[in-house]
């Protein structure tokens, strides 16, 4: 049976004729799902950068001598415990991904489940901290920027938990596999979760430690 | 360390690096004071941004960079697709005979 394609002169295939053109996204060197989440994360980095700029402006330029204001004591130990909890969750999500790469479904479920629990614990402790910290967002510039920065991060943790919820449900339903294209549903939330962790490390050091 | 924006594994490695960097910022704030630590931390962040920017430029690719010798060793799906199309066209041309008008 003869081919229905249009013949093309030898040696001029690329110049003269597009026969089965490559997919539009193929200029990028990574999978489009990964590229999508990374571009999203870069936009999120800019959002956080705006909040950090406001924080450091208030701290270094406006109030260089009295920061935090007198009478305000941040619960550094509790925040440190929260940091340990959140950083641990990055290790568990990494474990989950490594597990599915080796076709270990039990490890995948365990890792994703632990990650979700640790993330929820972080959020619970942070809400509890808000209830007992002793100042509100109305109490001056410090209160405003403290709640803005930590609240923005908390919102991202919440979104990350939603993504992990879907990943957990899919894992329990038997989705995902060792091949890269089959575990993007774990890898993409994992990248997002690492971003959330990295942001918290910076928030913790900037607000509670330095 | 490489590009932090290629995969979960790369991002995880950078998380560990940032953890170490944060610990150094905390240590320097105790030794030299807050302002010094803030500037030191900002410098570390700008270094990280440099890595990310470099990684993004490579990752997004472009027709120009695809044809340079620097990228020849890297796997490139675009050029692979072009090669595949060329091979298919040549194979079909062999079967069908010379094109009309030649």
């Amino acid at each position: 049976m003869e081919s229905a394609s249009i013949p093309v002169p030898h040696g001029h295939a690329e110049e003269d004729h597009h026969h089965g053109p490559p997919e539009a996204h193929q200029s990028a060197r990574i999978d489009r799902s990964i590229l999508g989440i990374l571009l999203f994360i870069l936009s999120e980095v800019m959002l956080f950068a705006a909040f950090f700029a406001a924080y450091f402006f208030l701290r270094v330029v406006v109030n260089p001598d009295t920061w935090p204001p007198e009478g305000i004591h941040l619960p550094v130990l509790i925040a440190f415990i929260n940091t340990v909890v959140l950083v641990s969750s990055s290790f568990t999500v990494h474990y989950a991904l490594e597990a599915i790469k080796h076709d270990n479904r039990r490890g995948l479920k365990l890792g994703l489940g632990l990650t979700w629990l640790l993330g929820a614990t972080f959020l619970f402790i942070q809400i509890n901290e808000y209830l007992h910290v002793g100042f509100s967002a109305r109490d001056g510039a410090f209160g405003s920027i403290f709640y803005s920065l930590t609240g923005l991060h908390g919102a991202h943790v919440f979104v990350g938990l939603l993504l992990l919820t879907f990943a957990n449900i899919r894992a329990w339903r038997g989705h995902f596999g060792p091949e890269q294209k089959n575990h993007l549903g774990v890898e993409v939330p994992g990248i997002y979760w690492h971003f959330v962790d990295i942001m918290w490390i910076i928030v913790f050091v900037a607000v509670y430690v330095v | 360390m490489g590009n932090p924006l290629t995969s979960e594994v790369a991002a995880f490695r950078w998380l560990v690096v940032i953890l170490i960097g944060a610990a150094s910022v905390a240590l320097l704030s105790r030794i030299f004071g807050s302002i010094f630590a803030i500037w030191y931390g900002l410098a570390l962040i700008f270094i990280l941004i440099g890595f990310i920017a470099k990684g993004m430029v490579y990752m997004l690719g472009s027709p120009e960079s695809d044809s340079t010798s620097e990228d020849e060793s890297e796997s490139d799906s675009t050029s692979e697709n072009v090669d595949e199309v060329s091979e298919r066209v040549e194979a079909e041309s062999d079967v069908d005979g010379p094109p009309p008008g030649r």
Side-chain angles (χ1 to χ4, degrees):
Chain A
M1 187 176 169
E2 193 163 339
S3 169
S5 62
I6 301 167
V8 173
H10 291 280
H12 299 282
E14 296 91 341
E15 297 168 12
D16 299 339
H17 185 64
H18 292 285
H19 187 84
E23 288 183 46
H25 77 282
Q26 288 296 325
S27 179
R29 291 178 169 90
I30 60 168
D31 185 273
R32 67 183 108 172
S33 307
I34 304 281
L35 182 62
I37 191 72
L38 294 181
L39 291 174
F40 171 68
I41 284 173
L42 282 180
S43 71
E44 293 286 85
V45 166
M46 291 177 211
L47 178 66
F48 270 95
F51 278 77
F52 275 113
Y55 175 80
F56 284 115
F57 180 78
L58 288 171
R59 177 172 179 166
V60 178
V61 179
V62 180
N63 299 302
D65 300 324
T66 54
W67 194 272
E70 286 178 17
I72 288 180
H73 298 286
L74 293 173
V76 179
L77 180 63
I78 290 171
F80 176 74
I81 292 167
N82 232 2
T83 305
V84 173
V85 168
L86 202 60
V87 169
S88 305
S89 70
S90 254
F91 281 80
T92 53
V93 78
H94 180 67
Y95 168 75
L97 190 65
E98 289 300 311
I100 193 60
K101 281 179 183 174
H102 295 91
D103 207 15
N104 177 5
R105 295 193 165 277
R106 196 178 164 200
L108 170 73
K109 291 176 194 169
L110 181 68
L112 284 177
L114 279 174
T115 307
W116 195 94
L117 281 175
L118 287 165
T121 305
F122 173 89
L123 217 49
F124 175 77
I125 293 174
Q126 193 176 30
I127 291 168
N128 201 40
E129 182 189 326
Y130 283 170
L131 294 175
H132 297 96
V133 74
F135 60 91
S136 75
R138 294 177 180 179
D139 294 334
F142 178 80
S144 296
I145 198 65
F146 173 82
Y147 279 98
S148 299
L149 204 47
T150 56
L152 177 72
H153 179 268
H156 281 76
V157 173
F158 181 74
V159 171
L161 281 177
L162 287 179
L163 295 176
L164 286 169
T165 303
F166 288 118
N168 270 291
I169 291 168
R170 291 187 64 192
W172 280 95
R173 286 187 172 181
H175 293 199
F176 307 127
E179 290 179 25
Q180 209 240 346
K181 64 176 182 179
N182 293 333
H183 59 245
L184 279 172
V186 183
E187 183 150 16
V188 169
I191 291 172
Y192 181 80
W193 198 250
H194 292 323
F195 158 72
V196 168
D197 265 18
I198 287 169
M199 279 301 150
W200 175 253
I201 291 168
I202 298 171
V203 168
F204 172 70
V205 171
V207 175
Y208 293 89
V209 178
V210 175
Chain B
M1 280 298 298
N3 177 10
L5 296 179
T6 50
S7 65
E8 187 272 342
V9 176
F12 179 72
R13 284 182 190 147
W14 274 96
L15 172 80
V16 176
V17 171
I18 287 167
L19 207 55
I20 294 166
S24 73
V25 171
L27 188 67
L28 285 177
S29 76
R30 293 276 178 263
I31 298 170
F32 297 111
S34 296
I35 300 297
F36 179 86
I38 287 169
W39 285 113
Y40 170 73
L42 281 174
L44 290 182
I45 287 171
F46 276 109
I47 291 170
L48 177 67
I49 289 170
F51 273 100
I52 291 172
K54 191 180 170 188
M56 285 297 286
V57 168
Y58 169 74
M59 196 171 67
L60 291 172
S62 71
E64 290 79 19
S65 61
D66 289 346
S67 60
T68 59
S69 58
E70 182 187 341
D71 296 328
E72 278 175 4
S73 60
E74 303 289 345
S75 66
D76 186 345
S77 54
T78 303
S79 57
E80 281 172 10
N81 273 328
V82 170
D83 292 343
E84 187 186 330
V85 170
S86 303
E87 285 170 12
R88 279 166 51 193
V89 166
E90 284 177 16
E92 286 167 5
S93 298
D94 289 342
V95 171
D96 298 342
R102 279 194 77 183

